[in-house]
Amino acid sequence: MTDILFVSTSPRGADSLSSKVAATLIDRLKAAKPATTVVTRDLGADPLPHLGPDLLGGFFAPEEHRTPEQKQAIATSDTLVAELKAADIVVIASAMINFSITSTLKSWLDHLARAGVTFRYTEDGTPEGLITGKTVYLVVSTGGVYSQAPADAFDFQAPYLKHMLGFMGLTDVEIVRVEGSAMGPEAAAKAVTDATEQAHSVAARAA
Ligand SMILES: Cc1cc2nc3c(=O)[nH]c(=O)nc-3n(C[C@H](O)[C@H](O)[C@H](O)COP(=O)(O)O)c2cc1C
């Protein structure tokens, strides 16, 4: 059985193109393997709290020394780590906001990046990701076109996500781009068509 974790992050609700293309990709993956289960984490609808003193204190205090507030704050992080660990495939629908990821997706990553839990430093100081053996499909949606120069220099979304995921051990990352949607209705329709085709071929390769 394959377990998919679907993380959607757009603040645009039902208008989200990244979520739409990601849903198509998941449908295709499920069609190839019908026993697949999907856990959805909709960060746009249900944002996570930001890092705060209780959560940070909880990260660094041994479990038996955590205060009740720290225990409460860390419970969400524990749930998110468990969701990630349980998944074979992670599908992230990422909307570009101001050249980067949504603050809700940043918060998800902030809850996940935990020393000794999702990454560690080896004796010589090299970081080592602890969440391995998973495939990530990153559906990134952008109003402009960032897959080529000159705008690629201002893409602080896909490279950052790849780096953070890799830092935690998630190095098998495939990117599907829904790009150019702000360049008029025709360009927007083409962006979705092209990305949907990409999603189909990605799913076909995975089958
Ligand atoms: C507040 C806001 C800021 C945005 N900033 C950018 C940006 O910096 N660069 C860009 O290419 N598109 C930008 N966009 C356009 C979105 O990236 C685009 O609409 C994309 O499709 C959003 O993903 P979604 O369709 O999954 O919601 C922005 C959109 C919003 C609402």
Side-chain angles (χ1 to χ4, degrees):
M1 195 171 73
T2 306
D3 293 311
I4 296 177
L5 172 61
F6 176 29
V7 182
S8 65
T9 71
S10 174
R12 301 191 323 119
D15 291 336
S16 167
L17 303 180
S18 59
S19 303
K20 184 177 170 174
V21 172
T24 301
L25 172 57
I26 290 170
D27 282 348
R28 287 291 173 126
L29 292 169
K30 278 169 64 181
K33 293 182 186 160
T36 298
T37 65
V38 182
V39 170
T40 300
R41 178 62 61 177
D42 185 347
L43 300 175
D46 245 330
L48 296 164
H50 288 143
L51 289 179
D54 289 329
L55 182 55
L56 283 178
F59 280 173
F60 295 108
E63 198 172 340
E64 62 277 15
H65 291 148
R66 284 180 193 144
T67 65
E69 292 77 16
Q70 288 171 343
K71 281 182 188 161
Q72 199 184 349
I74 212 165
T76 303
S77 169
D78 286 343
T79 301
L80 297 170
V81 170
E83 279 176 2
L84 183 61
K85 281 187 174 171
D88 304 298
I89 295 173
V90 183
V91 178
I92 301 175
S94 172
M96 178 182 272
I97 299 293
N98 298 324
F99 301 99
S100 186
I101 61 173
T102 56
S103 56
T104 51
L105 182 55
K106 177 65 165 56
S107 213
W108 183 72
L109 293 166
D110 289 341
H111 278 77
L112 289 175
R114 286 171 59 181
V117 179
T118 54
F119 72 92
R120 72 180 189 106
Y121 288 103
T122 61
E123 272 172 23
D124 66 4
T126 311
E128 181 184 45
L130 301 176
I131 308 290
T132 55
K134 301 177 193 305
T135 301
V136 181
Y137 298 112
L138 207 50
V139 182
V140 292
S141 186
T142 57
V145 174
Y146 293 84
S147 58
Q148 59 203 41
D152 59 344
F154 308 111
D155 180 1
F156 303 104
Q157 178 190 28
Y160 171 71
L161 279 171
K162 270 195 88 169
H163 175 74
M164 273 308 295
L165 293 165
F167 182 70
M168 294 187 286
L170 297 147
T171 51
D172 178 13
V173 179
E174 185 139 13
I175 298 181
V176 173
R177 289 183 182 271
V178 195
E179 58 179 354
S181 60
M183 296 169 167
E186 270 178 33
K190 185 173 176 337
V192 174
T193 306
D194 289 352
T196 303
E197 268 173 31
Q198 280 180 62
H200 287 178
S201 62
V202 159
R205 279 202 303 280

